[in-house]
Amino acid sequence: MNRIIASLTSILIVSGCQSLPDSPEHTGRNTVFLSAQHCLSEYLEDLEKNHYGPCLKVVSVAGTAPAVTREGFIELPVATPLTLETSCVYRHADGSPIPQTMETVEFTITPQTFSKPGERWYLHAHKQARDVVGCEPTLSRSTYPTYKTD
């Protein structure tokens, strides 16, 4: 009797899971996911501390405020040219923003920028977290800086 109840319970659980809607990445939509905001940081082994690099936030997509998912991503169409307005700010050693360093820069997406739907992308304020100046948005598939600055 216990085996029958266990089997029925398993069947109900599997059936229930199969009827759940797909996550946005698997809905077949022709979109990619771009981080709405991202902060760079890098662990400095010689100092045994974390260095807080610049943060970038997408302010608008083609002149409109972006719709951000619960996970913090913006859905963008594949193979579609767009202009993103971004805001960058540097941070103090404790991670708090330095308002005087706020800078706004446009980032252009070409039809070739995103070619594969469902991928997650991150837009960084710069290629590295340390020893950089200004806002130079850099697109990456990784949450980590492109270059280490040991």
Side-chain angles (χ1 to χ4, degrees):
M1 184 67 168
N2 286 340
R3 280 184 161 176
I4 294 172
I5 292 173
S7 294
L8 287 174
T9 302
S10 296
I11 290 170
L12 288 174
I13 289 172
V14 169
S15 297
C17 290
Q18 289 176 346
S19 65
L20 291 173
D22 288 336
S23 64
E25 289 93 68
H26 300 113
T27 59
R29 289 184 280 186
N30 205 19
T31 59
V32 295
F33 300 88
L34 179 69
S35 60
Q37 60 183 25
H38 184 72
C39 294
L40 289 175
S41 63
E42 184 177 350
Y43 184 74
L44 305 175
E45 291 181 27
D46 56 332
L47 300 176
E48 296 181 350
K49 71 174 198 167
N50 202 31
H51 174 78
Y52 295 102
C55 295
L56 177 140
K57 179 178 181 178
V58 177
V59 179
S60 72
V61 176
T64 305
V68 181
T69 67
R70 286 183 301 204
E71 296 83 22
F73 288 87
I74 301 166
E75 286 189 58
L76 297 176
V78 171
T80 304
L82 293 167
T83 299
L84 306 177
E85 184 177 349
T86 64
S87 174
C88 298
V89 66
Y90 282 80
R91 298 184 287 167
H92 291 286
D94 66 358
S96 63
I98 305 170
Q100 302 88 330
T101 65
M102 180 78 68
E103 184 178 353
T104 303
V105 174
E106 287 187 350
F107 182 78
T108 303
I109 295 175
T110 68
Q112 295 77 32
T113 304
F114 304 121
S115 59
K116 189 173 178 186
E119 291 183 332
R120 289 183 184 258
W121 289 87
Y122 298 88
L123 194 56
H124 302 299
H126 225 287
K127 291 181 180 156
Q128 56 195 45
R130 190 172 163 203
D131 297 332
V132 292
V133 176
C135 185
E136 294 183 23
T138 304
L139 197 58
S140 175
R141 293 293 317 278
S142 171
T143 60
Y144 299 105
T146 306
Y147 301 114
K148 285 189 175 188
T149 52
D150 294 324

